[in-house]
Amino acid sequence: MMPTTKRTPNPLLITAEVGKPKPSTMNLPPPEHVYGYKMVLDSAGAGNIIGGWMEHTPNEATQPGRDFKKLNRMAIIKGSGLTPTQVADFRRTHDARLRGGSMQHQQAIVLPSSRDPEFAYGVKNVYGTEMGALISNQYMRDFIESQERKETQSRMASKKIPVMHTKASLGHRYVEVMPDDRTPFKMKRFQNVEGKLSRDPNSISKMTSKSILEG
């Protein structure tokens, strides 16, 4: 018989089994319960929103604000705008409204979509875009290939230009080296000591081979 553990409200004291989450310290709904709020789907779907063009319809019940400048002029003309009390009494019995956007235009604006519901706004694309190439990422591959070609051409153009020798530069390459007959400087106390190094390359190679054989 398996021992049963008493449920404790402290989550730190609960031991979790291997490969399983810790049991809850609260009373949860049954496993078939779905958490969250149920979404109320709208009648307008994505296709209707993308394919439809909703035009603005002004609210006929909305009235523009009162035109107090015009009311003041009307009150002065009527002789009732001399005192604030007369102006207030005149405004209670008379009214003047500001000219709204719909009142300024005598004729209603006729849009192309009003005559033709299938009219599409915007500028037509000059180049036809193939949906298959767009989905398969063909345009990106073409761009990468074009960039690689440009990079190859740039590397070829940036290669070092070969040196073109002239007669003078070729003549300087084959100038005979003048022998140096000067006696090397040596202190008097070392006049009779033979040097281990020599300026003659032949003697240097001989000394090197001799040291190798001795070693």
Side-chain angles (χ1 to χ4, degrees):
M1 182 174 180
M2 295 294 294
T4 59
T5 58
K6 186 178 180 181
R7 177 171 293 184
T8 173
N10 191 351
L12 300 177
L13 301 178
I14 297 178
T15 304
E17 299 182 18
V18 179
K20 294 183 180 180
K22 284 187 177 183
S24 176
T25 58
M26 298 178 291
N27 295 326
L28 300 178
E32 61 273 7
H33 177 76
V34 179
Y35 294 88
Y37 292 97
K38 184 178 180 181
M39 295 181 60
V40 180
L41 299 179
D42 195 357
S43 58
N48 297 333
I49 294 174
I50 296 174
W53 183 270
M54 301 297 295
E55 298 180 1
H56 173 68
T57 303
N59 188 2
E60 299 179 356
T62 303
Q63 293 184 0
R66 300 185 70 183
D67 192 351
F68 294 102
K69 292 183 179 180
K70 187 175 182 180
L71 287 172
N72 294 339
R73 287 196 297 268
M74 293 170 59
I76 293 172
I77 293 173
K78 296 293 184 178
S80 302
L82 301 178
T83 61
T85 305
Q86 293 179 357
V87 173
D89 296 338
F90 183 81
R91 290 177 180 176
R92 293 190 187 97
T93 56
H94 298 77
D95 191 16
R97 297 289 174 175
L98 295 171
R99 295 176 61 86
S102 59
M103 298 176 63
Q104 293 179 0
H105 302 282
Q106 297 180 359
Q107 297 181 357
I109 299 176
V110 180
L111 299 175
S113 57
S114 302
R115 299 176 181 176
D116 186 8
E118 298 182 357
F119 181 81
Y121 292 90
V123 181
K124 186 177 180 180
N125 193 2
V126 179
Y127 304 100
T129 303
E130 297 182 2
M131 188 58 63
L134 185 63
I135 294 175
S136 62
N137 215 4
Q138 180 64 33
Y139 295 106
M140 190 191 74
R141 290 198 295 269
D142 295 343
F143 173 76
I144 293 175
E145 292 177 359
S146 64
Q147 293 298 318
E148 290 177 352
R149 288 195 298 269
K150 291 180 180 179
E151 186 177 359
T152 304
Q153 295 174 1
S154 177
R155 285 200 302 266
M156 295 295 293
S158 62
K159 283 187 175 180
K160 293 183 179 180
I161 301 175
V163 179
M164 303 300 292
H165 292 283
T166 60
K167 292 183 178 180
S169 62
L170 292 175
H172 290 310
R173 293 178 63 182
Y174 299 103
V175 173
E176 295 182 0
V177 181
M178 299 296 295
D180 188 4
D181 298 335
R182 294 178 299 174
T183 304
F185 172 76
K186 188 179 289 187
M187 297 177 66
K188 291 182 179 181
R189 60 188 300 179
F190 298 110
Q191 290 290 335
N192 299 325
V193 179
E194 296 182 359
K196 295 182 178 180
L197 300 178
S198 176
R199 295 185 180 181
D200 188 4
N202 296 325
S203 61
I204 294 174
S205 60
K206 290 178 180 179
M207 292 177 63
T208 306
S209 60
K210 182 180 180 181
S211 62
I212 293 173
L213 294 173
E214 292 178 353

